[in-house]
């Protein structure tokens, strides 16, 4: 009986002799190669507008501090400013910290910027601070009143350190300014 020739499992053939397919650049058949956008702003015109606790009561009480406009009026004001800059406002209000955090998480990789009036959470909600810190894009903190001119406990903002900037004390005009600031930042 003749022994079968041993199967070659390895060879010391010089690598340079072997013809290999060029794998330096992988293409999916005939699809155009699109460069990866550097920032979400290149693919999204969405601006998340968040309102925190009790701001659903705007227009109902304390008109001497917050005016007579309702939350819907504030959102409409921001939306009108956004239209001028080809931006789209997605607005949410919540009285729950966790729900606001979920909205911030949901904006990651989807929204170009965030405008937030965190209400009284401004002054102590470190979890919202952390969530905003994980968002890549401009963050504008906006307040209708000027908390720095009110009770001492309102003088601290735990949101300001992770915001691109803060706009306070200009009432509804603060929302217009916030949208303009976002548009300027996104334009580079
Ligand atoms: O000035 C702002 O926009 C505030 O974020 C409003 C918060 C306050 O805790 C911040 O210090 C500053 C409070 C919102 C409460 O809104 C109400 C509106 C009408 C009636 C009752 C509360």
């Amino acid at each position: 009986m003749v022994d079968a020739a041993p199967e070659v499992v390895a060879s010391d053939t010089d690598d340079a002799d072997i013809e290999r397919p060029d794998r330096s650049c992988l293409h999916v058949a005939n699809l155009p190669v699109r460069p990866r956008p550097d920032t979400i702003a290149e693919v999204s015109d969405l601006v998340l507008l968040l309102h925190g606790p009790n701001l659903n009561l705007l227009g109902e009480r304390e008109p001497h501090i917050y005016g007579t406009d309702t939350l819907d009026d504030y959102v409409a004001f921001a939306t009108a400013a956004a239209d001028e800059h080809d931006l789209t406002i997605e607005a949410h209000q919540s009285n729950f910290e966790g729900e606001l955090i979920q909205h911030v998480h949901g904006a990651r990789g989807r929204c170009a910027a965030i405008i937030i009036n965190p209400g009284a959470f401004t002054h102590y909600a470190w979890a919202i601070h952390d969530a905003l810190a994980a968002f890549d894009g401009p963050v504008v903190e906006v307040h209708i009143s000027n908390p720095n001119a009110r009770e001492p406990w309102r003088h601290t903002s735990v949101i300001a350190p992770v915001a691109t900037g803060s706009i306070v004390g200009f009432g509804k005009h603060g929302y217009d300014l916030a949208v303009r600031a976002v548009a300027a930042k996104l334009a580079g």
Side-chain angles (χ1 to χ4, degrees):
M1 190 172 148
V2 181
D3 281 348
E7 196 184 340
V8 178
V9 292
S11 130
D12 51 11
T13 312
D14 184 356
D15 264 12
D17 298 340
I18 301 173
E19 216 176 280
R20 291 195 169 87
D22 177 12
R23 293 189 183 278
S24 59
C25 183
L26 292 175
H27 295 279
V28 178
N30 293 328
L31 283 180
V33 179
R34 218 158 32 112
R36 196 174 167 277
D38 286 337
T39 66
I40 192 66
E42 288 178 38
V43 291
S44 173
D45 65 353
L46 268 185
V47 177
L48 181 64
L49 173 61
L50 287 180
H51 283 95
N54 297 310
L55 288 160
N56 52 315
L57 298 179
L58 281 169
E60 289 182 25
R61 298 187 49 170
E62 307 200 68
H64 56 293
I65 303 175
Y66 302 114
T68 52
D69 289 313
T70 65
L71 180 60
D72 283 350
D73 293 332
Y74 280 91
V75 172
F77 201 63
T79 301
D83 285 348
E84 285 178 35
H85 295 279
D86 295 323
L87 295 170
T88 302
I89 295 287
E90 176 185 310
H92 301 280
Q93 184 276 334
S94 178
N95 295 320
F96 300 95
E97 184 176 1
E99 203 170 308
L100 292 167
I101 290 167
Q102 294 286 55
H103 284 305
V104 173
H105 290 178
R108 297 178 68 223
R110 193 175 67 83
C111 296
I114 297 177
I115 298 172
I116 182 167
N117 182 341
F121 284 151
T122 303
H123 312 299
Y124 63 93
W126 288 103
I128 295 180
H129 164 114
D130 285 347
L132 290 169
F135 176 78
D136 288 325
V139 172
V140 179
E141 175 192 16
V142 62
H143 294 285
I144 298 163
S145 68
N146 177 359
N148 300 306
R150 299 177 65 190
E151 304 95 314
W153 63 268
R154 295 188 201 269
H155 297 181
T156 298
S157 169
V158 300
I159 304 304
V162 289
T164 310
S166 305
I167 298 168
V168 305
F170 292 103
K172 65 180 181 181
H173 302 295
Y175 288 74
D176 182 67
L177 293 169
V179 170
R180 285 175 198 281
V182 159
K185 271 282 169 193
L186 295 178

